[in-house]
Amino acid sequence: MADKPSPDVEACLLSHLNSRGEVPDSRSYASSLGVSHKELEDVIKSLSAFRIVESTDVTKETWVLTEEAKGYVANGSPEAQLVAVIPPEGASKDVLKEKLGSVFDIGMKTAAKNKWIGFEKGNKDLVLRKVDNIKDELQEQLKRLESGESASDKVIDDLKRRKLIMKEKSIWYALKKGPQFVAKRKKLATDVTQEHLRSGDWKEIEFKDYNFGAQGQPIAVGYVQPLLEVREAIENIFLQMGFSEMPTNNFVESSFWNFDALFQPQQHPARDSHDTFFLEAPAATKQLPEDYLEKVKEVHQSGGYGSKGYGYDWKREEAEKNLLRTHTTAVSTRMLYKLAQEKPFAPKRYYSIDRVFRNEAVDRTHLAEFHQIEGLICDYGLTLGDLIGVLEDFFSSLGMSKLRFKPAYNPYTEPSMEIFSYHDGLKKWVEVGNSGMFRPEMLLPMGLPEGVNVIAWGLSLERPTMILYGIDNIRDLFGPKVDFNLIKSNPLCRLGL
């Protein structure tokens, strides 16, 4: 038998409204057409958009049967099913459970409560039937609800307790003619085709209005990684403050420039392989400024410039070891040495932002490879007060106004301070950098004049980026676990500017 063709839902609805003026219940009307309510709903929305029909939402909450309850409507309640399978001579619980399956326990409890079943004296395993006929009230209650009849509060409460019904929100529509009502809607053209031009019927065709408020297709564009966004902003801050960028193209550095020239002793824990990545090839640097190297050796071994030194046997082979630089202060050391060779002395402001490497355990706030920001000012008569003032100006430009300073120790700065900023995401103070004034044992061997001081500070690029973007795990910002959707959806960070 051939399937009945689907009706033209729109044509039927418009004809019905034209003759009768309204449709009080879209559900009933969909049933009369033999179509789903969803199919009729799509037509209603289309006609409403052109004001051909007016629709009013009708909302009602009704009780509907659960899947378990629908099974009871078809097969009877568990207690009725139990009584029906008990023979006149009775049956064991195991036999009944095998026949009834999952409804056995529920049926036993309710049937015993209704006194429909009993047990043989001295044999609680044998179930006996105590009634000949029963009235399955539960099945009848469920059938009435399914057909749309109402039920008493007591019945509803009982069915809810047994989890046989649940509330469902139903939405349908009441329809009437709209201000632009027509018995038959003309199909609006969207484009002028060759056929329209050839036949000339474009003159009579009605065209669909352009929706100039509609959004276009999203443009495929690149997105700025938060680290690069903050890096560029920090570079602009340095430039606005009158700083010049230092060359940072050497990832591989000698221990001399990374440690020794900074007055850091050769037995310092930071020079251990547990903290630093040393190179196997090339393992050493042979080309070092000899005069300067001798002065560094002397100040380490015997002191000088008002210092006692460290009093140990300084070894050149330790200074020649190559490593992945642990901080960009190695670059600062080279630049200060170069500045000391220029006569006459001229004050300078330098900055750098580049990658450094530490042999550290990776966690939510630490990586073995990260970016360091460094700034320094070299001039006569600089003090710790100058350093604090510069740091407050620098960090406030980053939008980080909650700062704390804590006394610290560094081999190459005295006095030294750790810099902390409050992280709203982590709800605690987070260390964001280190700072201090370079020691005379570092500066004077280079050849800088007496009275010249250097204030400097360093911080990671990742930490302030995490604070500014509200990211609490550094691995979400840099490395293989970065979520590109996070980069796309992040708002542009204004850095307090």
Side-chain angles (χ1 to χ4, degrees):
M1 184 177 177
D3 291 338
K4 185 179 178 181
S6 299
D8 185 338
V9 178
E10 182 176 311
C12 292
L13 177 59
L14 292 175
S15 175
H16 181 92
L17 288 172
N18 191 42
S19 59
R20 302 192 184 182
E22 65 175 1
V23 173
D25 187 336
S26 58
R27 297 175 306 172
S28 301
Y29 185 70
S31 298
S32 69
L33 292 179
V35 299
S36 68
H37 189 260
K38 176 68 172 63
E39 190 175 346
L40 176 61
E41 185 178 30
D42 292 339
V43 172
I44 292 170
K45 288 180 178 179
S46 175
L47 293 171
S48 297
F50 292 94
R51 304 179 69 197
I52 296 171
V53 301
E54 284 186 359
S55 64
T56 304
D57 292 358
V58 182
T59 304
K60 186 178 180 182
E61 287 188 337
T62 55
W63 292 106
V64 296
L65 305 189
T66 63
E67 289 302 317
E68 180 184 354
K70 290 176 183 177
Y72 297 164
V73 169
N75 304 314
S77 66
E79 52 270 30
Q81 293 182 53
L82 175 70
V83 172
V85 297
I86 299 175
E89 68 276 11
S92 68
K93 289 181 181 179
D94 289 341
V95 170
L96 294 175
K97 191 168 188 176
E98 187 178 345
K99 287 183 178 180
L100 295 174
S102 61
V103 301
F104 171 75
D105 291 330
I106 304 171
M108 282 287 292
K109 183 178 178 182
T110 310
K113 182 181 177 183
N114 294 343
K115 298 181 180 179
W116 292 351
I117 61 171
F119 302 95
E120 188 178 50
K121 271 190 180 182
N123 184 6
K124 293 290 184 183
D125 186 57
L126 185 64
V127 183
L128 300 173
R129 181 171 175 170
K130 296 179 68 176
V131 292
D132 293 328
N133 297 304
I134 62 168
K135 184 179 179 183
D136 194 349
E137 291 186 1
L138 177 63
Q139 186 184 42
E140 291 180 6
Q141 291 167 355
L142 294 173
K143 283 182 176 179
R144 286 196 293 270
L145 274 177
E146 190 176 39
S147 64
E149 295 181 30
S150 60
S152 68
D153 292 342
K154 184 179 180 304
V155 170
I156 293 295
D157 290 341
D158 185 52
L159 295 177
K160 279 166 58 181
R161 180 179 54 78
R162 294 184 67 169
K163 297 181 180 178
L164 297 177
I165 58 173
M166 58 184 178
K167 255 189 179 174
E168 186 179 80
K169 197 177 197 180
S170 301
I171 300 175
W172 64 93
Y173 306 95
L175 307 173
K176 64 180 182 179
K177 295 178 182 179
Q180 304 295 329
F181 179 80
V182 288
K184 185 177 181 181
R185 179 162 58 158
K186 290 182 180 179
K187 190 172 181 181
L188 300 178
T190 56
D191 295 297
V192 179
T193 65
Q194 289 183 357
E195 186 59 36
H196 292 152
L197 295 173
R198 197 176 292 118
S199 64
D201 62 2
W202 60 270
K203 298 174 184 177
E204 286 78 30
I205 289 176
E206 289 188 34
F207 289 91
K208 188 176 181 180
D209 292 337
Y210 281 102
N211 181 5
F212 293 104
Q215 293 187 352
Q217 289 291 327
I219 302 171
V221 296
Y223 297 87
V224 180
Q225 216 275 356
L227 275 177
L228 297 179
E229 185 77 30
V230 176
R231 174 178 179 150
E232 183 180 353
I234 290 174
E235 285 180 335
N236 290 334
I237 291 169
F238 273 121
L239 294 173
Q240 289 166 12
M241 294 175 71
F243 285 71
S244 301
E245 186 174 10
M246 296 184 280
T248 56
N249 52 330
N250 286 353
F251 284 0
V252 176
E253 190 56 272
S254 68
S255 293
F256 176 78
W257 291 110
N258 198 83
F259 294 124
D260 294 271
L262 274 70
F263 195 55
Q264 190 159 329
Q266 293 184 337
Q267 65 271 28
H268 193 279
R271 301 179 70 153
D272 189 83
S273 60
H274 292 296
D275 294 293
T276 302
F277 294 109
F278 288 95
L279 269 66
E280 291 183 356
T285 295
K286 300 300 181 182
Q287 295 181 349
L288 295 170
E290 294 298 330
D291 292 346
Y292 178 42
L293 183 141
E294 287 299 321
K295 291 177 182 178
V296 170
K297 175 182 177 181
E298 181 66 22
V299 78
H300 275 252
Q301 290 190 154
S302 307
Y305 315 103
S307 170
K308 293 181 180 180
Y310 292 114
Y312 70 97
D313 185 18
W314 187 88
K315 296 181 175 60
R316 179 174 181 135
E317 56 268 25
E318 282 294 324
E320 290 178 344
K321 287 182 179 178
N322 282 335
L323 48 79
L324 293 178
R325 67 180 178 211
T326 62
H327 49 192
T328 50
T329 315
V331 180
S332 302
T333 310
R334 286 180 176 270
M335 291 301 294
L336 288 172
Y337 174 72
K338 181 181 177 183
L339 177 63
Q341 313 315 304
E342 298 174 1
K343 307 298 180 185
F345 168 78
K348 293 289 185 182
R349 297 183 177 204
Y350 291 129
Y351 83 92
S352 64
I353 306 174
D354 212 338
R355 198 167 297 187
V356 296
F357 309 86
R358 306 258 179 97
N359 193 0
E360 291 187 345
V362 175
D363 59 28
R364 66 190 301 111
T365 57
H366 293 86
L367 291 175
E369 175 185 355
F370 59 97
H371 297 79
Q372 184 174 331
I373 304 161
E374 183 147 342
L376 67 87
I377 302 175
C378 182
D379 203 350
Y380 286 100
L382 294 174
T383 66
L384 189 65
D386 295 312
L387 174 59
I388 292 174
V390 171
L391 290 175
E392 287 178 342
D393 285 346
F394 175 78
F395 281 99
S396 64
S397 297
L398 281 172
M400 297 162 63
S401 56
K402 297 179 183 178
L403 292 183
R404 284 181 179 174
F405 303 101
K406 176 184 173 183
Y409 168 76
N410 287 316
Y412 45 90
T413 58
E414 180 62 37
S416 307
M417 299 185 304
E418 292 175 346
I419 311 163
F420 290 82
S421 176
Y422 189 75
H423 191 302
D424 290 320
L426 295 175
K427 303 297 181 188
K428 66 177 183 179
W429 291 89
V430 178
E431 182 185 353
V432 293
N434 220 317
S435 65
M437 300 182 66
F438 284 144
R439 297 173 66 114
E441 298 96 323
M442 173 185 166
L443 300 178
L444 295 177
M446 294 177 176
L448 287 169
E450 291 274 357
V452 169
N453 293 329
V454 177
I455 57 174
W457 68 97
L459 60 145
S460 76
L461 178 62
E462 285 77 5
R463 290 277 180 90
T465 304
M466 290 171 66
I467 292 172
L468 293 164
Y469 277 86
I471 297 170
D472 62 2
N473 192 325
I474 196 170
R475 290 166 289 195
D476 295 334
L477 179 68
F478 183 67
K481 294 186 178 180
V482 171
D483 182 358
F484 287 104
N485 289 321
L486 177 70
I487 296 174
K488 289 181 180 180
S489 61
N490 256 331
L492 189 66
C493 186
R494 295 294 181 185
L495 302 174
L497 298 179

